[in-house]
Amino acid sequence: MGSSESRTSAARSWLLAAAVDAEALSAAARAGADCLIVDLEDGVPFVHKSPARQIARKWLRDNPSWVRISDVRSSQHVLDVAALRDEPGVLGVMLAKAESADDVHTAASELPGLPIVPMIESALALTRAVEIAAVAPAVRLAFGVGDFRHDTGVANTPAALTHARSQLVVASRAAGLPGPIDGPSAQEDSVSPDTRYAAELGMTGRLAVRAADAAVINAALSPSAADIASATAMIERLGQNGERVASGADVPRLAAAKAVLHRARQFGIPCGS
């Protein structure tokens, strides 16, 4: 998908793989996810945190990956940062339970030069999503559905979580970021419909906790053949450079059609010239 920056901005599937052993990480790496996230946070029991950091360091030396680290208020955060500092295999960090712009600034100062995906996992964080997204190292927002539900008491239904998801879409757009990354599906058979619903709201990525989910998410978040055909027809009608644009309403239509074809090409989907 091109450069590391473009891969991050376009990435559909973000597969969380707990740093419990090299075999598990190797299996996750073969799943075909756009981004593999070595998990040092909730996927690792407290008693296994120390060996997990060593496993992660060893893995990263030969397998550049993203890493999810504990939140800045956690006693584990300092240890996560110490393990990753100066480790060249870290492509970026997913910051758990980010609740303010200061949290992102803190992580950025501890791990300078790395892109950060702050996870929005509480009511407080959601109210500050625009400020969090606006911090320069932030490249996407991610929705920590489970912790958000525990914090707010919201049910695990599409209707109950629509407002929060939409808020993240708006905050991302306001900050000039790509669409946010949705939380994972609890059940394997709900991944496809959940992802299609997230896409309807404007989310462009999803977390995955099972290797098999990556391909399903990638398919659901890629332009379909019908999308590509419609976009191609729109561009042909209006002209590649807008030479047949008849009104102001045609301008966003042309931009949207070009965006569909650009996204298809990012994923290697044939879409003509």
Side-chain angles (χ1 to χ4, degrees):
M1 287 194 292
S3 67
S4 176
E5 182 177 352
S6 66
R7 287 196 300 272
T8 298
S9 65
R12 302 156 294 184
S13 53
W14 296 68
L15 178 59
L16 285 161
V20 291
D21 60 66
E23 295 253 343
L25 293 175
S26 294
R30 294 191 295 269
D34 289 341
C35 287
L36 173 66
I37 310 166
V38 177
D39 190 13
L40 295 178
E41 200 229 0
D42 282 352
V44 179
F46 286 120
V47 295
H48 295 149
K49 294 285 190 183
S50 182
R53 295 184 188 100
Q54 296 306 312
I55 290 167
R57 283 177 57 85
K58 186 174 181 180
W59 169 263
L60 291 163
R61 285 165 192 159
D62 296 317
N63 304 277
S65 308
W66 279 71
V67 183
R68 180 165 73 165
I69 61 175
S70 302
D71 69 274
V72 298
R73 286 163 294 280
S74 166
S75 61
Q76 302 296 324
H77 177 82
V78 173
L79 300 174
D80 289 348
V81 169
L84 300 178
R85 189 178 288 120
D86 302 322
E87 180 55 64
V90 182
L91 297 179
V93 293
M94 185 166 277
L95 178 62
K97 301 176 180 67
E99 293 203 321
S100 68
D102 285 344
D103 288 358
V104 184
H105 282 301
T106 295
S109 67
E110 295 167 331
L111 297 167
L114 291 177
I116 296 173
V117 172
M119 293 193 71
I120 306 301
E121 306 189 64
S122 68
L124 180 61
L126 186 64
T127 66
R128 296 171 172 173
V130 173
E131 292 89 345
I132 292 170
V135 179
V139 293
R140 301 277 290 269
L141 293 179
F143 189 24
V145 175
D147 281 303
F148 180 82
R149 287 181 52 240
H150 294 150
D151 181 56
T152 60
V154 170
N156 189 23
T157 63
L161 292 165
T162 293
H163 174 72
R165 288 185 167 112
S166 295
Q167 286 290 96
L168 294 183
V169 170
V170 172
S172 296
R173 178 58 183 161
L177 299 186
I181 302 161
D182 194 16
S185 295
Q187 304 298 324
E188 189 170 357
D189 60 2
S190 67
V191 176
S192 184
D194 287 351
T195 305
R196 289 195 300 272
Y197 183 70
E200 290 174 0
L201 296 176
M203 307 188 96
T204 58
R206 290 203 80 209
L207 289 166
V209 292
R210 294 170 293 268
D213 294 354
V216 179
I217 291 169
N218 286 349
L221 291 179
S222 297
S224 67
D227 294 332
I228 293 168
S230 177
T232 300
M234 181 66 69
I235 293 170
E236 288 175 351
R237 181 169 75 82
L238 300 178
Q240 181 67 36
N241 298 309
E243 48 268 50
R244 292 184 291 281
V245 165
S247 71
D250 284 338
V251 175
R253 294 187 184 115
L254 180 59
K258 287 184 175 181
V260 169
L261 298 192
H262 174 70
R263 190 161 173 81
R265 292 187 181 106
Q266 284 181 305
F267 306 135
I269 302 171
C271 52
S273 58

